[in-house]
Amino acid sequence: MLESVTIDQLRTLRAVAEEGSFTAAARRLGQGQPAVSQAMKRLEKQLGLRLFDRSGRVPRLTAKGEAVVAAAERLHDDLAVFQTLIGRIKSGAETKLSLAVDAMFPTSALLAFIHEFAETHPGVELALEIEFLAAVTSLVRERRATLGIAGTDVDLSGLEQRPIAHLRMIPVAAPSHPLAAGKDVITDERLASAVQIVLTERTPAGQPGSSDRGVFSTRTWRVADLMTKHALIAGGLGWGHEPEHLVREDLAAGRLVELRLAAWEGGLPPLRSLALVRRKGSLLGPVATWASNRLTSLCQEALGAAPHHTR
């Protein structure tokens, strides 16, 4: 029966396949050749398959035997992961990292982080949620995320924060949009009558959302994700503020135009700050600490920002 197949039998099968003979496998395993031969006969009987061709001087794997060896290799890898997990649990190390990331975090930095995480911590599960505004901090407060990357323009009560970078928010519109015509400074009066595409987070019924910032128009279309906002603006359906790293290529290619707003004329461009957040008093394990440092560095590299002091 398949249920009676043991890990030792599969380990012996792999040794025979790798060494090329029962005798060589026996030497590797520190067993006698008859013991290895009997183990393989029992395995063939349990599986109901002919794994070896014994017509020659040295038994050779059949095609079915090679397929079983390949499956045994996969089981060996899974067992190694299982053993690593048990070891981590016994040592008190993290087995899972939950992250909540603001949608404005640079995608290139997030992808680079995930690749590094998979290579550096193969035995740790990564749970990732992309949200916006207060939805990020809610996940951290509710213990559904160990770490969050949130904008500092939301309620951060009950959370510790560490600055990562500043996002330059650029007012943009499609070249075909009326606001993009000419190079004049656009007054607040003109903005008031133009549709502005505004991001808003998904909030449970009865709970208030984040306060509006940078909203100049009395006519707003509200969307709950950054890509939809970008698509509507690029499609000429309205104007809005977008992070520089997201629109850099579109501006260079002429698919979007940066607007000159009277509100920002002569001053610094509007900025949105990102910070790593966690619950006050919570202790970060080695994996979460590594993640917080790499997320910070990769974000700053993607934005071309100078490193911030960390504590």
Side-chain angles (χ1 to χ4, degrees), residues 217-229:
S217 178
T218 56
R219 302 172 61 199
T220 59
W221 290 3
R222 296 177 180 272
V223 296
D225 68 272
L226 196 57
M227 292 302 102
T228 299
K229 176 177 180 176

Side-chain angles (χ1 to χ4, degrees), residues 98-304:
S98 300
L99 290 178
V101 179
D102 190 284
M104 287 194 182
F105 188 83
T107 302
S108 60
L110 186 59
L111 290 175
F113 168 79
I114 294 171
H115 279 296
E116 287 190 23
F117 183 88
E119 292 176 359
T120 308
H121 305 284
V124 181
E125 178 187 353
L126 177 64
L128 176 65
E129 295 202 44
I130 308 297
E131 285 291 353
F132 190 69
L133 295 170
V136 174
T137 51
S138 292
L139 290 171
V140 178
R141 284 195 190 90
E142 295 166 7
R143 300 177 182 271
R144 289 190 285 159
T146 304
L147 283 174
I149 298 177
T152 58
D153 51 352
V154 300
D155 177 18
L156 296 177
S157 59
L159 301 174
E160 296 180 15
Q161 61 172 301
R162 187 181 76 183
I164 294 180
H166 300 295
L167 305 178
R168 181 183 176 224
M169 302 299 293
I170 302 178
V172 293
S176 60
H177 194 279
L179 291 178
K183 297 183 179 180
D184 295 336
V185 175
I186 302 169
T187 63
D188 292 352
E189 289 74 19
R190 285 184 64 195
L191 289 177
S193 60
V195 172
Q196 183 174 355
I197 312 300
V198 179
L199 274 171
T200 183
E201 75 265 49
R202 305 175 184 88
T203 54
Q207 292 188 15
S210 301
S211 301
D212 285 338
R213 290 172 176 83
V215 176
F216 295 90
S217 178
T218 56
R219 302 172 61 199
T220 59
W221 290 3
R222 296 177 180 272
V223 296
D225 68 272
L226 196 57
M227 292 302 102
T228 299
K229 176 177 180 176
H230 183 77
L232 292 176
I233 293 173
L237 298 172
W239 75 278
H241 291 90
E242 296 204 72
E244 182 182 22
H245 68 270
L246 180 63
V247 298
R248 190 177 295 138
E249 292 184 5
D250 287 322
L251 289 171
R255 292 186 292 268
L256 288 176
V257 174
E258 182 174 357
L259 304 177
R260 292 180 60 195
L261 307 189
W264 309 132
E265 197 71 8
L268 293 174
L271 298 175
R272 185 166 189 259
S273 299
L274 291 179
L276 272 162
V277 298
R278 71 175 192 262
R279 294 182 304 278
K280 281 187 177 179
S282 64
L283 298 177
L284 297 184
V287 175
T289 299
W290 175 90
S292 66
N293 292 332
R294 290 307 297 143
L295 286 165
T296 299
S297 297
L298 290 168
C299 179
Q300 291 170 356
E301 289 171 15
L303 298 176

Side-chain angles (χ1 to χ4, degrees), residues 9 12-13 16 20-23 33-65:
Q9 285 176 307
T12 301
L13 175 63
V16 173
S21 70
F22 290 173
T23 302
Q33 187 273 343
V36 171
S37 179
Q38 287 301 314
M40 294 300 92
K41 286 182 179 178
R42 284 196 299 273
L43 180 60
E44 287 178 309
K45 183 176 181 181
Q46 287 168 295
L47 297 177
L49 296 172
R50 184 164 168 257
L51 303 179
F52 294 93
D53 178 359
R54 294 177 174 80
S55 60
R57 189 175 62 87
V58 177
R60 299 294 181 191
L61 282 168
T62 63
K64 294 177 181 178

